[in-house]
Amino acid sequence: MICSTLLSGALMAQEALFSGSQVTSPVVNADGTVTFNVFAPKAVKVEVTGDFLPPVEVDSPLGKTTQPGRAEMKEMNGVWTYTTGKLAPELYSYNVIINGMNILDPSNVYVNRDIASLTSIFIVSAAKGDKGDTYRVNEVPHGDLAKVWYNSPTLKMKRRMTIYTPAGYDKGKNYPVMYLLHGAGGDEDAWTTLGRAAQIMDNLIAASKAKPMIIVMPNGNTDCQAAPGAWSRGMYMPTFMGSVNQKPIATMDESFMDIVKYVESHYKVAKGKKNRAICGLSMGGGHSFATSKRYPDTFNYIGLFSAGLHINGDRNKSFYELLQENKEVQNQLAKLFAGKPALYWIAIGKTDFLYQQNADLRRYLDEKGYPYEYRETEGGHIWRNWRIYLSEFAQKIFK
């Protein structure tokens, strides 16, 4: 029986090998182009779609948005092939489309999940220190990642977060902490998979571009304990808001000090405002905005990455109008800036659908004379921007 099973497995492997299904894809060429190969001898049409192609505009629940473009592949002897032009250093996402069906590249084992979508990925790098090099694993000292369960008395549940400790953590003294928050649809896995946070920090610290620090990546969905499939709710379908149709008993900012207290009682942490930073993308940028103003003496560095800003009030009014009307928020921001945080950093893409919200916040800060730094990039509400923002923000803090 054992021999039969082994023989069957060997025959399947041989069949895959000689059928041509073991093509290599993608191939990052020396000139910076990338070649995709798909073995699909019975296909009528095969395309590749990815963020390295010119985007197309589509209608979505958020209004006009963009999706990756498509390129047709050419067939020879059952293998469909497409080669890009020269690509800039970056981490890229893509899929292949066979006879209209969007699937992962069968020859690429490297995959990311973004909410409920899976994409194949690859990295292009041309020189040491470029974006592709910063996002990949290099021969440098590596920090550790831990999936940690903590108790949240405010939310009345056990919750999971991801914690990065830098290389040499056990031998070092107490470390400053960056609290790094994900966006809507994300979870405590998002920044380490889609955001490449561990690789970014390993490479920046090794190059002495960033201080060794602890990175805390909590789950920002206060109706959930952990990422989909990682808690007792089971294997539910992830959604844009991460909701499992339970009404949370508190907000992320209301419950945030549960996280801080756990980290500072279980890790080698340098305590005090000067040793804490909070930042996040989209919903996590909104959480950073709300948490920093709720606890104005807690964080010395605040980073809003394409922040989804929220204040209770008439949704037909602009964020600037809501700021002008809300005395509580005005007082909170006044206290925050009276404490002279070392950095209040706002970053967003030129075509981000949240651009006007962030412009409204900057208008208000300008009128009040509250100091901040502003970073504007090309593109919209995309991970390509958020990886840049993390890379730059990490180099500005704890100096």
Side-chain angles (χ1 to χ4, degrees), residues 186-346:
D187 47 61
E188 71 273 19
D189 294 336
W191 267 112
T192 53
T193 54
L194 296 154
R196 307 291 285 187
Q199 291 81 10
I200 289 171
M201 296 310 303
D202 280 351
N203 290 322
L204 292 179
I205 293 170
S208 297
K209 293 181 178 180
K211 294 286 187 180
M213 67 186 78
I214 296 169
I215 312 293
V216 177
M217 293 160 275
N219 190 307
N221 306 300
T222 54
D223 58 351
C224 299
Q225 293 180 341
W231 60 296
S232 59
R233 176 69 176 181
M235 297 181 181
Y236 59 90
M237 175 64 73
T239 63
F240 176 66
M241 293 305 294
S243 174
V244 291
N245 298 318
Q246 298 177 165
K247 186 176 180 179
I249 62 175
T251 63
M252 187 63 174
D253 54 297
E254 289 169 342
S255 64
F256 203 86
M257 293 311 292
D258 293 347
I259 297 169
V260 175
K261 289 174 183 177
Y262 178 89
V263 171
E264 296 193 350
S265 63
H266 288 75
Y267 286 83
K268 297 166 61 175
V269 169
K271 299 179 181 180
K273 174 181 173 179
K274 68 178 183 180
N275 295 303
R276 298 191 198 103
I278 187 169
C279 58
L281 72 91
S282 193
M283 179 180 77
H287 288 160
S288 300
F289 171 76
T291 304
S292 61
K293 67 180 176 61
R294 179 178 288 275
Y295 308 106
D297 299 318
T298 301
F299 303 98
N300 207 27
Y301 306 90
I302 299 104
L304 311 183
F305 308 165
S306 308
L309 302 167
H310 175 74
I311 296 176
N312 290 330
D314 186 347
R315 292 189 177 184
N316 294 318
K317 293 186 176 182
S318 70
F319 187 72
Y320 176 77
E321 290 173 319
L322 294 175
L323 278 170
Q324 291 284 55
E325 294 174 355
N326 196 309
K327 297 300 182 183
E328 180 183 11
V329 173
Q330 290 177 22
N331 291 335
Q332 288 176 328
L333 288 172
K335 291 179 181 178
L336 173 65
F337 283 96
K340 298 182 178 180
L343 178 65
Y344 200 92
W345 200 70
I346 302 171

Side-chain angles (χ1 to χ4, degrees), residues 5 13 33 37 68 78 86 109 112 201 233 250 272 303 315 359 375 377:
T5 301
T33 63
N37 299 299
K86 184 177 180 179
V109 301
N112 271 343
M201 296 310 303
R233 176 69 176 181
R315 292 189 177 184
R375 174 75 161 98
T377 55

Side-chain angles (χ1 to χ4, degrees), residues 160-185:
R160 194 177 80 151
M161 55 187 168
T162 302
I163 297 183
Y164 167 91
T165 50
Y169 168 80
D170 291 337
K171 299 177 182 178
K173 297 181 180 180
N174 292 342
Y175 295 86
V177 182
M178 176 203 291
Y179 294 88
L180 179 60
L181 313 181
H182 64 79

